[in-house]
Amino acid sequence: MGSLLRPVDLVNQPLGFQERYKILQKLFTQLQKAYAHSKRTNMDLERLATRLEVHVAKNSLSGQSYKFNMSILLRDILKYKGDLSKVKINGRPLKGSKPSSNTGPIFTRSQAMEALKALILDVKALEKNGYIVEELQKESNDECDTQLYVPCLRCNTNFKKIDIMENALCRFHPLKKIYNRETRCHLYPCCGETTNSVSFLRLGCKTSHHHVYRGESYSDLCKISEFSSSAHIDGVENVLSLDCEMAFTSLGYEMIRLTIVDFFTGETLFDHVIQPVGEIVDLNSDFSGVHEIDQTKCPTYREAIGMFLSENLINKNSILIGHGLENDLNVMRIFHNKVIDTAVLYSKTKFKVSLKNLAFEFLSRKIQNGEHDSSQDAIATMDVVKVKIGVSPSQKIWE
């Protein structure tokens, strides 16, 4: 491809030469596509690719940020048809050094609070979107749960709840099927099998020795532990973004990790793997990212709730931010009405946009490319809300 196509040596290299060289080659190929109908020669594009790559390398603090910034650059070169004035790295345009207008003005804390309060869901919206509202607690508590059999959440086989710890054959697909318009059939992205397949893998590409279920009614959830209310906790007015990771236990579906991040400082205030109440059936590691729970170090659920439901964390004055936050509050077993939910905020139909898609669309950030990370998800949700109200995700100083 020419002698010019090599990374510029830097004192602080974000990645090794070979990795940078491979990415530089991809960048050159992308530029060739973007300028296919221009008069630029390959030598011109080699020089341009080299300049762009070293710019990103100098402005990336780590190998991970370098790869991320390069993925954005590779995408946007084609997206904007080679117009580099529209391409931004870390919120700054490639041409010039002034911050992008998308970073927004500097907000005061009071201005941000006013904008955030306008996004809080009212009680009707909470009910409509599956939140358990404290005012309905008595009515729900009077329900009698007589359901002996439940369908397995993974293979749909009916089984007795009390037999959940008994050995069974559960064959399932870990990823939901998606519809292929060209073939007009559903495909399982985890293994490539289709619903039309005659292979035994059509029934599932993974097997487990236990069935699992997820109780979602108030009475089901209370069988694990009673709900606590933030309304009885006095404390500072704060804005917290949170995310939980969950696992299957003998009692259903429980929280095994919780991350809480402060909206204004970006600091992680709480991040713990938590011992569930029930006996672990499946840590759901492919999605939860949790591979073990050390009972000598990890707090129990009861210990954890005493930590996160407090005057300095979640209290009656807190605004909580999350994506599909009803699921998190349910496994946390808390009532809280001051909620901003990005799944509701950006839902256009009955189908809600995933956090993964929102992060890429509004933050140019790739998340959930493998195991989930509650810290990554909590920060992404917080930053999506910041963009929504016109605040730069990088703003950390508030008047």
Side-chain angles (χ1 to χ4, degrees):
M1 285 189 179
S3 59
L4 293 176
L5 199 64
R6 65 184 304 278
V8 176
D9 289 330
L10 298 172
V11 176
N12 297 311
Q13 304 268 17
L15 282 179
F17 177 86
Q18 288 299 327
E19 289 181 272
R20 285 181 64 197
Y21 179 70
K22 288 178 182 178
I23 292 175
L24 181 57
Q25 286 179 314
K26 290 181 182 179
L27 178 57
F28 173 71
T29 302
Q30 205 79 326
L31 289 169
Q32 283 183 313
K33 294 177 183 177
Y35 295 107
H37 302 295
S38 74
K39 294 181 180 180
R40 297 197 185 209
T41 66
N42 278 350
M43 186 173 291
D44 292 331
L45 296 179
E46 286 175 352
R47 290 194 181 100
L48 178 58
T50 303
R51 288 201 305 271
L52 293 175
E53 191 278 336
V54 75
H55 174 83
V56 172
K58 286 179 178 178
N59 289 278
S60 299
L61 299 177
S62 65
Q64 184 178 3
S65 66
Y66 169 81
K67 288 181 178 179
F68 169 72
N69 289 333
M70 286 302 301
S71 70
I72 298 302
L73 177 58
L74 291 168
R75 181 200 68 183
D76 287 354
I77 282 173
L78 288 186
K79 179 179 178 180
Y80 298 117
K81 299 178 181 179
D83 185 354
L84 299 180
S85 66
K86 296 181 178 179
V87 179
K88 303 178 184 70
I89 298 297
N90 290 331
R92 294 177 178 271
L94 284 172
K95 293 186 176 180
S97 59
K98 292 182 179 180
S100 161
S101 60
N102 282 348
T103 59
I106 300 298
F107 272 56
T108 64
R109 187 183 181 99
S110 60
Q111 287 173 328
M113 286 298 295
E114 184 179 353
L116 289 167
K117 287 175 181 178
L119 300 180
I120 294 175
L121 299 178
D122 59 27
V123 174
K124 287 185 178 179
L126 290 174
E127 289 182 59
K128 180 181 177 182
N129 288 281
Y131 285 83
I132 296 176
V133 181
E134 185 172 10
E135 288 80 354
L136 304 177
Q137 177 183 2
K138 185 178 186 304
E139 177 185 336
S140 299
N141 204 30
D142 290 337
E143 293 176 0
C144 181
D145 179 24
T146 58
Q147 192 176 18
L148 298 177
Y149 287 85
V150 289
C152 174
L153 196 62
R154 299 192 289 205
C155 72
N156 209 37
T157 300
N158 279 335
F159 71 99
K160 273 188 178 181
K161 280 185 183 179
I162 59 173
D163 292 339
I164 191 169
M165 298 307 295
E166 299 294 326
N167 280 340
L169 177 61
C170 178
R171 183 178 286 126
F172 63 98
H173 292 283
L175 298 181
K176 293 180 180 179
K177 62 186 178 183
I178 56 177
Y179 185 69
N180 186 317
R181 292 183 179 179
E182 293 182 6
T183 61
R184 296 186 178 182
C185 69
H186 287 86
L187 177 142
Y188 294 101
C190 45
C191 61
E193 285 292 323
T194 69
T195 49
N196 293 341
S197 171
V198 294
S199 166
F200 75 94
L201 285 177
R202 178 179 65 84
L203 301 175
C205 57
K206 289 194 72 173
T207 57
S208 172
H209 296 299
H210 298 279
H211 294 305
V212 295
Y213 76 97
R214 175 179 180 173
E216 296 184 274
S217 70
Y218 179 72
S219 58
D220 263 337
L221 294 169
C222 283
K223 284 183 173 59
I224 300 175
S225 61
E226 293 294 326
F227 275 62
S228 300
S229 176
S230 62
H232 310 301
I233 309 293
D234 289 319
V236 297
E237 184 179 55
N238 55 19
V239 184
L240 308 171
S241 183
L242 64 85
D243 187 76
C244 295
E245 302 297 347
M246 294 82 146
F248 296 109
T249 75
S250 57
L251 298 176
Y253 201 51
E254 295 192 60
M255 170 177 64
I256 54 170
R257 182 185 174 187
L258 170 64
T259 303
I260 302 175
V261 180
D262 183 81
F263 180 88
F264 292 103
T265 66
E267 291 182 29
T268 298
L269 304 178
F270 185 98
D271 188 13
H272 288 280
V273 172
I274 298 166
Q275 297 181 49
V277 178
E279 187 177 349
I280 295 169
V281 174
D282 188 343
L283 284 175
N284 209 23
S285 300
D286 289 347
F287 297 98
S288 70
V290 177
H291 292 266
E292 65 174 330
I293 298 179
D294 188 339
Q295 295 186 353
T296 63
K297 297 179 180 179
C298 299
T300 63
Y301 165 76
R302 186 48 55 191
E303 290 169 339
I305 198 171
M307 296 161 68
F308 64 72
L309 200 60
S310 62
E311 62 177 356
N312 292 319
L313 284 176
I314 301 174
N315 62 73
K316 68 180 183 181
N317 297 310
S318 300
I319 296 176
L320 300 185
I321 297 172
H323 187 85
L325 193 55
E326 76 280 6
N327 297 310
D328 301 283
L329 296 184
N330 283 352
V331 294
M332 291 168 73
R333 306 290 184 279
I334 63 171
F335 295 117
H336 191 84
N337 286 358
K338 294 181 180 178
V339 165
I340 298 173
D341 190 333
T342 50
V344 178
L345 201 59
Y346 286 96
S347 63
K348 298 173 183 176
T349 64
K350 64 178 180 179
F351 300 106
K352 294 178 179 177
V353 183
S354 70
L355 178 59
K356 182 176 182 176
N357 289 341
L358 288 178
F360 190 75
E361 180 179 353
F362 293 102
L363 308 172
S364 293
R365 185 180 304 171
K366 292 182 179 180
I367 64 171
Q368 300 177 355
N369 290 321
E371 296 175 354
H372 289 203
D373 181 333
S374 57
S375 177
Q376 183 186 64
D377 290 355
I379 292 169
T381 309
M382 174 182 72
D383 288 347
V384 166
V385 172
K386 285 183 177 180
V387 170
K388 178 70 175 178
I389 65 173
V391 173
S392 167
S394 63
Q395 181 174 336
K396 297 293 187 294
I397 300 173
W398 308 81
E399 294 179 10

